[in-house]
Amino acid sequence: MNKDNCSQPDVTPSTIQVLPLGDSRVEGERPEYESYRYWLWSKLVQNSWDVDFIGTRTDNANYPEVGGFCFDNEHEGTGGAITTDILETLENVSFQPEPDVALLGIGGNDLVSTSRSITEVINTLNDIIDNLQTRNGNITILLEQI
């Protein structure tokens, strides 16, 4: 859909700020492989959820509009990222507003492409979670099961 023919829902103080965060499963690279983000966003919009995806990265692929709205393509997914990359990103990036919900999809690359132990990966995941909770003590974090 042409992005000039659709709009974004209004963001209000009650809008839930959602941060898709992680590796290539978050980022996607349409049409080679899909991220979950569009499909989740479309279901949320169809069910009248007041959400705003946030992040410093955007997806420039074309997606069908839903309910007259263009896909909210902001995210913080990076193909090939490992847990330490995501922790470094969080230490260097400020989100305004801070996320209410984080959709954390990370860890697989650590296990298949590094020599880091499972304990090291889990410790870094804990550091990521601590960072997110420091930003917002009431954040909801959904951790993808690999």
Side-chain angles (χ1 to χ4, degrees):
M1 172 50 84
N2 182 335
K3 293 181 181 182
D4 295 332
N5 296 334
C6 53
S7 62
Q8 291 291 325
D10 291 332
V11 175
T12 67
S14 63
T15 300
I16 300 167
Q17 301 297 319
V18 178
L19 175 64
L21 176 65
D23 58 24
S24 60
R25 292 179 314 280
V26 175
E27 180 182 33
E29 191 170 319
R30 194 172 211 192
E32 285 77 27
Y33 58 94
E34 294 284 340
S35 167
Y36 67 85
R37 293 178 299 107
Y38 171 76
W39 306 106
L40 173 61
W41 172 84
S42 67
K43 292 290 185 189
L44 293 169
V45 168
Q46 290 169 359
N47 286 286
S48 301
W49 281 77
D50 184 13
V51 298
D52 179 30
F53 282 12
I54 62 172
T56 64
R57 302 180 58 121
T58 57
D59 180 340
N60 294 319
N62 289 318
Y63 296 90
E65 70 175 61
V66 175
F69 297 117
C70 292
F71 174 45
D72 185 352
N73 64 358
E74 295 174 330
H75 65 90
E76 203 63 45
T78 304
I82 61 173
T83 52
T84 54
D85 296 329
I86 297 304
L87 181 59
E88 182 178 335
T89 295
L90 288 175
E91 290 171 345
N92 293 306
V93 172
S94 176
F95 302 104
Q96 293 302 321
E98 290 292 345
D100 299 308
V101 175
L103 307 175
L104 184 55
I106 191 69
N109 292 329
D110 291 85
L111 300 176
V112 298
S113 64
T114 72
S115 60
R116 298 184 75 222
S117 71
I118 291 175
T119 300
E120 290 173 307
V121 174
I122 290 171
N123 288 339
T124 307
L125 279 169
N126 285 331
D127 291 342
I128 291 168
I129 291 167
D130 289 345
N131 182 295
L132 291 166
Q133 289 175 327
T134 297
R135 292 166 176 265
N136 177 352
N138 294 317
I139 193 169
T140 299
I141 301 169
L142 302 174
L143 182 60
E144 174 188 37
Q145 181 178 353
I146 299 173

